[in-house]
């Protein structure tokens, strides 16, 4: 709050407010619900800080991803979206807030954009490992269908194509109709869903639209299909082990690599936490599947990985593959590792191989530093990088053929706006709002924490 990383509003959980911070004089908004477009952290990462009585509208897949991330990830405020551990002061001045281990985890209320199935309710109602005698239990929040909830305006959700399952756009109907795209693209496997939403959004007078790639479109465009071809070629040309690095939960890219693995006579090896997520998504009837995947057996302590022992090991115990097996037959596998999994190379000890970087370009200095580190790791094991390179000055450059963005290009954004033809355009999620103003009439640039009536 002091650093302006959160809007100065009185909408946060009271157990998170230390004694030296008062939020009572900030506007207390009457929030009927949060509409979450998809489960990427730059969209949902601050939900955990919101007052616990505020319901979250989200697709069943987004709900599963948020819950799964908390189950299988590191506990942090950013991952406390589906359920949280209440804090309490642990010093006399009320300045240091820590998790109260005597209290049970508290689940949030969700309004699912589809009727919640039994598997979703069950998944939300328990935490792996909670059956132990002293283990902390989870008190689930309510989960209903958004049709059954009372909102002061009509809400409808519309699936769109993005780089994570369960992405939706929304339409709000009150005195005027507002369409919000969420993050979207029209060049992935679900492009038709985005096109359908664009057709439906014609009735909207206000369009809130993302603009990650707003601006003139850059040269040749990659699609999921062209990425598949480029990566297939890279794998065919590889000797030794192949590492495929794509962003976590980009399960469409995982499918792409699964197909490449089949064509090249290799097996695709995923991390246990990805299998946990895929298994949970598969249970709620999404498009994801664990079929044909092997699981990397990490050298790690299993005491904090009840999600792995209770779910992944129990269901897929025969799919595990260890470092020694990969070392003996490196050409038999494609490993879904990211930069943070490089430590496992110390166990596998590969001699040569290929690393395919198939994710977004570095967009800040920290990421560039990570790429220099990654370069050193690859050099150490004689692994050839593909998709990025480093020049002698240490500057990183990327090869766009190996990644298709999760976001619509400038041309596609302009085309969507032309087709929807709204009375007012509200660009969000962009560093180039000026482009909208230069290209279109009636653009409203919104400021954080300010109230607008549409
Ligand atoms: Zn996103």
């Amino acid at each position: 709050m002091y650093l302006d990383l959160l809007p100065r509003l009185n909408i946060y959980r009271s157990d998170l407010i230390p004694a030296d911070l008062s939020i009572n004089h900030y506007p207390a908004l009457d929030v009927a619900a949060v509409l979450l477009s998809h489960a990427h952290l730059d969209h949902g990462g601050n939900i955990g800080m919101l007052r616990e009585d505020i319901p979250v509208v989200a697709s069943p897949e987004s709900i599963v991803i948020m819950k799964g991330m908390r189950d299988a990830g590191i506990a942090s405020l950013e991952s406390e979206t589906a359920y949280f551990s209440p804090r309490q002061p642990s010093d006399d001045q009320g300045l240091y807030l820590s998790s109260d281990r005597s209290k049970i985890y508290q689940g949030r209320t969700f309004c699912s954009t589809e009727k919640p199935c039994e598997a979703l309710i069950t998944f939300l109602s328990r935490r792996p490992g909670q059956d132990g005698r002293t283990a902390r239990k989870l008190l689930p929040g309510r989960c209903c269908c958004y049709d059954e909830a009372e909102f002061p305006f009509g809400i409808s959700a519309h699936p769109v194509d993005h780089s994570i399952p369960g992405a939706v756009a929304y339409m709000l109907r009150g005195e005027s109709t507002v369409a919000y795209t969420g993050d979207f693209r029209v060049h992935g496997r679900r492009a038709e869903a985005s096109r359908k939403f664009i057709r439906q959004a014609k009735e909207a007078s206000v369009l809130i639209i993302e603009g990650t790639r707003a601006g003139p479109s850059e040269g040749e465009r990659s699609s999921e299909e062209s990425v598949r071809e480029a990566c297939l070629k890279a794998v065919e040309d590889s000797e030794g082990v192949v590492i495929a690095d794509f962003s976590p939960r980009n399960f469409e890219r995982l499918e792409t690599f699964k197909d490449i693995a089949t064509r090249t006579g290799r097996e695709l090896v995923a991390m246990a936490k990805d299998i946990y997520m895929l298994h949970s998504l598969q249970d709620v009837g999404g498009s994801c599947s664990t079929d044909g995947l092997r699981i990397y057996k990490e050298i790690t302590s299993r005491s904090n990985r009840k999600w792995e022992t209770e779910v992944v090991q129990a269901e897929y115990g025969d799919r595990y593959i260890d470092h020694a097996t990969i070392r003996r037959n490196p050409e038999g596998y494609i490993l879904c590792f990211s930069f943070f999994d490089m430590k496992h190379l110390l166990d596998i000890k590969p001699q040569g191989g290929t690393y395919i970087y198939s994710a977004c370009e570095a967009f800040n200095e920290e990421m560039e530093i990570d790429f220099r580190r990654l370069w050193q790791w690859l050099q150490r094991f004689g692994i050839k990088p593909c998709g990025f390179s480093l020049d002698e000055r240490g500057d990183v450059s990327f090869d766009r053929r190996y990644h298709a963005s999760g976001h619509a290009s400038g041309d596609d954004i302009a085309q969507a706006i032309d087709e929807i033809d709204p009375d007012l355009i509200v660009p969000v999620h962009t560093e180039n709002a000026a482009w909208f103003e230069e290209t279109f009439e009636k653009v409203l640039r919104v400021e954080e924490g300010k109230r607008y009536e549409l």
Side-chain angles (χ1 to χ4, degrees), residues 169-171 176-182 184 197-198 200-210 412-428 436 440 442-444 446 454:
Y170 287 103
M171 302 262 279
S176 51
T177 300
V178 179
Y180 167 49
T181 60
F184 79 108
F197 166 69
I198 292 167
Q200 287 168 323
K202 283 181 187 170
E203 67 166 286
S205 51
V206 179
L207 174 66
I208 305 174
I209 185 164
E210 71 118 326
D412 288 341
I413 292 171
Q415 214 175 341
I417 293 174
D418 283 340
E419 194 173 335
I420 296 168
D421 192 22
D423 298 333
L424 186 66
I425 301 162
V426 184
V428 292
F436 287 89
F440 301 98
K442 298 217 186 109
V443 172
L444 171 67
V446 289
L454 302 169

Side-chain angles (χ1 to χ4, degrees), residues 10-30:
N10 182 4
I11 53 170
Y12 304 109
R13 269 163 52 193
S14 58
D15 66 308
L16 291 180
I17 312 295
D20 62 345
L21 174 68
S22 166
I23 62 167
N24 294 333
H25 56 290
Y26 295 140
L29 304 184
D30 180 17

